[in-house]
Amino acid sequence: MNLRIAIFDDNKNIRESISLLLRTVPNFQVVGTFSHVLDCVDDVKECNPDIILMDIEMPGMTGIEAVKVIKGQLPHVQILMQTVFEDDDRVFDSICAGASGYILKNHLNTKLIDAIKELQFGGSPMSPSIARKVLNKMQSVSSAIKPEEAPDYHLTPREKEVLSCLVNGLSYKMIAADLYISYETVRSHVKKIYEKLHVASLTEVVAKAINQRIV
Amino acid sequence: MNLRIAIFDDNKNIRESISLLLRTVPNFQVVGTFSHVLDCVDDVKECNPDIILMDIEMPGMTGIEAVKVIKGQLPHVQILMQTVFEDDDRVFDSICAGASGYILKNHLNTKLIDAIKELQFGGSPMSPSIARKVLNKMQSVSSAIKPEEAPDYHLTPREKEVLSCLVNGLSYKMIAADLYISYETVRSHVKKIYEKLHVASLTEVVAKAINQRIV
DNA sequence: GATAGTATCCCCACATTTGGTGATTGATTA
DNA sequence: TAATCAATCACCAAATGTGGGGATACTATC
């Protein structure tokens, strides 16, 4: 079974030399090379690659934007960024856009072949410095990854509904109208919420609800 | 210049075989092997390694907790997780604790040597499946990584102070007391904030302030 | 069949917030 | 020097939220 590869790079020499290199590998098949990504979705649909090598700097639209649109329409395609840039912004933007690997252009040849093979078998090849950046980033956003488990305040479903209305800025009246209950019922729920969250004002409720992701 | 390596693993055979393996590499120096991490900080201070190989499952304290305390006290040490576990929790916990690499135990020998060398030169070696997990995680928390740049509401410093008081649940009166200004002045600031944020209630202010990280 | 919990509703009195309009001072800037 | 803006303070009237009661109906669950 052949591995179908497409290449997006605005530099003709690079396209051709990568193409030549990959053709020497058994089972690798270069099914398309493109100098820009303006028609990338059509191009990709046309040549139907398993893996895409994507440069970043290209005329008209960047490779990062291309990753986003391609993954949006063809999520099964694996995309390997291959670029000279290693600034945080471009690295993380690429990854968030959906790239499955990121290698730098400085040391080509065998590394590239290994990277493609790694990608083929479910890995995510990254140049060493990129991998380090990624791990450091993970650590710096660890609060988003491992949210310290929010205490459970045992809010009832209805109370949670009311709470989320409050967080959306609705007044008691509006909540009453929204949930088809009376103003006084809203008050009852809010009182309960105050008790359960140990707070004494709407602002505290909202702050606590958002910060502890209760909503 | 030698590379000093310490090994934490509760399995004696593994400690010894890794130790033997690493001793065959020029410039590698195994400076300590330990069967548990209960005294890890002392152990590490004692043998002063550049790189630590850390298993996860050990008696008394897990390798992940050990990473946390070691990195807390000796942040310059590079720690390479080396384990059989590849569940998301342990992987991300290890990384968030401060590990600089994560490789699986199934394919030892040369891979391990390469990983240590990669770590030595500022990389973050990961087994392919681990790297994939990490990239996927990055994508799933992309909102935390690339917060869509909050619009600037041109709040004055004083207004920001008042705003953060509001977010902390203080009433107008309390804010007045806190900032040594009159109740009416607080009101003026709040009115301005309402205008600038285009909202009409405290709850909306608080929600917007927190969600858009204005505070 | 008693108990506990949820969801619904009501009243009173008081506190707080809100929407107006308007004013003074000092600093910065055009 | 005139204009702008931040920061301060004031008053009025109306709307909204808060704290304390209490009540009913329905579901579970023991």
Side-chain angles (χ1 to χ4, degrees), chain B residues 42-162:
Chain B
D42 289 338
D43 291 340
V44 171
K45 280 182 178 162
E46 178 94 21
C47 67
N48 188 34
D50 302 303
I51 286 177
I52 296 173
L53 295 190
M54 183 67 77
D55 191 15
I56 286 189
E57 210 168 55
M58 272 176 289
M61 192 200 287
T62 70
I64 296 174
E65 295 169 290
V67 170
K68 211 171 299 177
V69 301
I70 293 171
K71 288 297 269 190
Q73 297 206 31
L74 304 156
H76 55 284
V77 184
Q78 301 292 301
I79 303 179
L80 176 58
M81 304 308 289
Q82 196 205 4
T83 170
V84 296
F85 302 111
E86 50 181 326
D87 56 291
D88 286 16
D89 277 349
R90 270 179 274 226
V91 171
F92 298 131
D93 284 355
S94 298
I95 292 169
C96 291
S100 298
Y102 196 114
I103 59 171
L104 297 174
K105 260 182 179 167
N106 47 14
H107 36 46
L108 276 176
N109 6 44
T110 58
K111 293 270 188 181
L112 177 59
I113 295 171
D114 288 343
I116 292 173
K117 285 181 179 165
E118 199 176 319
L119 199 58
Q120 182 182 11
F121 297 113
S124 279
M126 287 175 269
S127 295
S129 63
I130 302 299
R132 176 58 64 102
K133 273 181 202 295
V134 168
L135 280 210
N136 286 340
K137 188 57 141 187
M138 292 277 287
Q139 286 165 27
S140 72
V141 298
S142 62
S143 59
I145 294 165
K146 287 170 14 82
E148 68 271 16
E149 78 288 341
D152 188 2
Y153 294 101
H154 303 291
L155 295 182
T156 67
R158 202 53 162 169
E159 284 159 3
K160 281 181 190 167
E161 279 185 90
V162 173

Side-chain angles (χ1 to χ4, degrees), chain A:
Chain A
M1 187 61 180
N2 278 353
L3 183 73
R4 302 171 64 84
I5 304 170
I7 302 169
F8 287 89
D9 198 308
D10 65 340
N11 184 307
K12 189 173 176 223
N13 289 331
I14 292 182
R15 282 202 308 280
E16 290 182 351
S17 66
I18 292 178
S19 204
L20 275 176
L21 172 70
L22 297 185
R23 281 184 219 279
T24 67
V25 182
N27 301 323
F28 278 21
Q29 187 182 354
V30 177
V31 294
T33 66
F34 309 94
S35 63
H36 63 83
V37 288
L38 293 170
D39 313 311
C40 62
V41 173
D42 289 338
D43 292 339
V44 171
K45 280 181 179 164
E46 178 95 23
C47 67
N48 188 33
D50 302 304
I51 287 177
I52 296 173
L53 295 189
M54 183 67 76
D55 191 14
I56 285 189
E57 209 167 58
M58 273 174 290
M61 191 199 289
T62 70
I64 296 173
E65 295 169 290
V67 170
K68 212 170 300 176
V69 301
I70 293 172
K71 287 297 267 190
Q73 298 206 30
L74 305 156
H76 54 285
V77 183
Q78 301 291 304
I79 304 180
L80 176 58
M81 304 308 290
Q82 197 205 5
T83 170
V84 296
F85 302 111
E86 50 181 325
D87 56 290
D88 286 15
D89 277 349
R90 270 180 274 225
V91 171
F92 298 131
D93 284 355
S94 299
I95 292 169
C96 291
S100 297
Y102 197 114
I103 59 171
L104 298 175
K105 261 182 177 165
N106 46 14
H107 34 47
L108 276 177
N109 7 42
T110 58
K111 294 269 187 183
L112 176 59
I113 296 170
D114 289 343
I116 292 174
K117 285 181 178 167
E118 199 175 320
L119 198 59
Q120 182 182 11
F121 296 113
S124 279
M126 288 175 268
S127 295
S129 64
I130 301 299
R132 177 55 65 101
K133 273 181 201 294
V134 169
L135 279 210
N136 286 340
K137 190 55 149 187
M138 292 278 287
Q139 287 165 26
S140 72
V141 297
S142 61
S143 59
I145 294 165
K146 287 169 17 83
E148 70 271 14
E149 78 290 340
D152 188 2
Y153 294 101
H154 303 291
L155 295 183
T156 68
R158 202 57 164 165
E159 283 159 4
K160 280 181 190 166
E161 279 185 90
V162 173
L163 179 53
S164 80
C165 289
L166 288 177
V167 170
N168 287 325
L170 301 191
S171 69
Y172 290 6
K173 264 195 199 173
M174 294 158 115
I175 297 174
D178 241 53
L179 301 183
Y180 302 107
I181 55 181
S182 93
Y183 172 85
E184 285 299 330
T185 306
V186 176
R187 279 194 17 89
S188 291
H189 289 308
V190 173
K191 284 178 198 175
K192 270 281 175 194
I193 294 172
Y194 277 28
E195 265 182 48
K196 291 183 176 177
L197 300 199
H198 302 294
V199 298
S201 73
L202 273 189
T203 51
E204 286 181 274
V205 168
V206 172
K208 205 155 189 171
I210 297 179
N211 286 327
Q212 308 198 358
R213 293 168 187 76
I214 302 176
V215 284

